[in-house]
């Protein structure tokens, strides 16, 4: 039996807010839906209850040019441990906020106005199945082209970030996903499993076969090519490696 899920909808327009609440309530019968028209109200609800999914409009004050109150709410809520990995769906007409929202806030999805209510229902149903991170979690989840990929950090040999794309290398296979950063990856994987050896690369300590500090490279088990150790990372790399 599925446990009750809670959803917070943040939208300044009362008619749109009520319409969204009605549509979302049709996704599942065990939903508790909270409505807020301001960031202040949304914060109060978020800390009085446990929210499983956020639907956020970025512009909450249409009369104020450049307003992105909903986006700033998302950024602040991500700073609290309880909501670090909670799915967020942005509802907005601001195209220029799209890439920033994905890379900085790690939103679950970005739905541009005008959107269909059917699409909202589909996304909500999908997001409610998105697993939150726990300390014992053995997998992480990345979204690319509306497909959710499950990755087991223990099976990842190394990761690198190039041109705003995270490249994950696993047993001669690879997955490249845009808008994810190495910093994000290092935060969500189990602590001390990976060691960063340069500005753009982190290796799984379990796969390290040889370290040549003189020439500055690492050999990983089963991988032919050497991985460079950045000059500025040598001391930090060794410290983290042997303290882990």
């Amino acid at each position: 039996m599925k446990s009750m899920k809670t959803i917070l909808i943040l939208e300044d327009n009362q008619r749109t807010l009520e319409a969204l609440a009605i549509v979302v309530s049709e996704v599942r019968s065990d939903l508790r839906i909270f409505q807020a028209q301001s960031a202040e109200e949304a914060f109060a609800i978020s800390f009085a209850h446990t929210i499983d999914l956020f639907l956020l409009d970025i512009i909450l004050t249409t009369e104020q040019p450049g307003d992105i109150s909903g986006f700033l709410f998302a950024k602040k809520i991500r700073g609290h441990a309880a909501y670090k990995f909670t799915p967020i769906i942005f509802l907005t007409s601001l195209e220029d906020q799209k890439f920033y929202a994905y890379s900085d806030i790690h939103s679950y999805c970005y739905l541009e106005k005008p959107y269909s209510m059917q699409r909202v229902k589909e996304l909500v149903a999908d997001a409610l199945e998105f697993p939150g991170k726990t300390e014992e979690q053995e997998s992480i989840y990345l979204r690319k082209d509306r497909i959710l990929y499950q990755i087991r950090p223990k099976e990842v040999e190394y990761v690198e970030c190039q041109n705003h794309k995270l490249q994950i290398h696993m047993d001669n296979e690879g997955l490249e996903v845009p808008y994810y950063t190495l910093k994000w990856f290092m935060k969500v994987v189990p602590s001390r499993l990976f060691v960063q050896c340069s500005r753009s690369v982190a290796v799984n300590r379990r796969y390290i076969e040889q370290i040549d500090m003189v020439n500055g490279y690492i050999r990983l088990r089963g991988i032919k090519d050497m991985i460079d150790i950045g000059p500025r990372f040598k001391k930090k790399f060794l410290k983290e490696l042997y303290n882990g």
Side-chain angles (χ1 to χ4, degrees):
M1 182 178 180
K2 295 182 178 179
S3 58
M4 176 171 285
K5 296 284 189 177
T6 57
I7 299 176
L8 172 60
I9 306 174
L10 176 57
E11 164 65 61
D12 68 308
N13 185 287
Q14 183 65 37
R15 291 183 61 184
T16 303
L17 180 61
E18 292 175 355
L20 284 169
I22 292 173
V23 168
V24 169
S25 68
E26 298 172 354
V27 174
R28 281 169 47 170
S29 60
D30 59 345
L31 295 179
R32 187 177 185 186
I33 301 170
F34 294 97
Q35 303 177 36
Q37 289 185 269
S38 69
E40 292 75 14
E41 187 179 2
F43 274 118
I45 294 171
S46 298
F47 295 111
H49 307 274
T50 299
I51 306 300
D52 296 300
L53 171 64
F54 292 97
L55 271 70
L56 308 177
D57 185 13
I58 287 182
I59 301 176
L60 299 179
T61 309
T62 54
E63 299 82 9
Q64 181 179 334
D67 175 68
I68 52 170
S69 299
F71 180 76
L72 295 177
F73 166 80
K75 192 169 185 177
K76 288 181 180 179
I77 208 70
R78 277 287 188 253
H80 295 270
Y83 294 119
K84 194 171 182 180
F85 299 96
T86 303
I88 294 175
I89 297 176
F90 282 111
L91 308 172
T92 185
S93 57
L94 287 180
E95 295 182 7
D96 61 339
Q97 293 295 329
K98 181 173 183 178
F99 299 127
Y100 185 66
Y102 271 116
S103 61
D104 193 61
I105 302 299
H106 308 303
S107 65
Y108 183 79
C109 189
Y110 181 100
L111 195 57
E112 296 178 15
K113 297 179 180 180
Y115 48 78
S116 72
M117 288 301 184
Q118 179 59 36
R119 183 58 183 150
V120 172
K121 290 175 66 174
E122 293 172 356
L123 285 174
V124 168
D126 189 22
L128 286 173
E129 299 300 323
F130 189 81
K133 181 180 180 293
T134 64
E135 290 299 320
E136 302 300 322
Q137 186 172 330
E138 295 184 354
S139 298
I140 60 174
Y141 297 82
L142 300 96
R143 192 172 179 83
K144 178 184 179 183
D145 299 330
R146 301 191 184 279
I147 299 175
L148 196 64
Y149 291 89
Q150 180 184 24
I151 303 296
R152 298 185 184 279
K154 292 181 180 179
E155 299 174 359
V156 176
E157 297 160 337
Y158 71 100
V159 295
E160 57 183 328
C161 191
Q162 300 288 345
N163 300 320
H164 306 292
K165 295 179 181 179
L166 190 66
Q167 299 172 8
I168 301 174
H169 301 269
M170 305 167 289
D171 192 24
N172 296 321
E173 295 182 1
L175 174 65
E176 183 178 86
V177 286
Y179 316 129
Y180 288 89
T181 64
L182 184 61
K183 183 178 180 181
W184 172 86
F185 181 86
M186 295 296 285
K187 283 185 177 180
V188 300
V189 295
S191 61
R192 298 187 179 181
L193 180 60
F194 283 81
V195 185
Q196 192 168 349
C197 59
S198 69
R199 185 176 181 181
S200 59
V201 179
V203 298
N204 188 330
R205 64 172 68 243
R206 299 186 179 192
Y207 285 87
I208 296 177
E209 189 172 74
Q210 179 185 356
I211 301 174
D212 185 336
M213 294 304 295
V214 175
N215 297 302
Y217 70 77
I218 305 168
R219 183 191 297 275
L220 298 182
R221 186 177 69 252
I223 297 178
K224 182 179 179 180
D225 296 332
M226 305 295 185
I227 296 178
D228 293 332
I229 302 174
R232 296 183 179 180
F233 279 78
K234 284 186 177 182
K235 184 179 294 186
K236 181 181 179 182
F237 171 75
L238 284 178
K239 182 179 179 180
E240 292 184 0
L241 182 66
Y242 295 117
N243 288 341

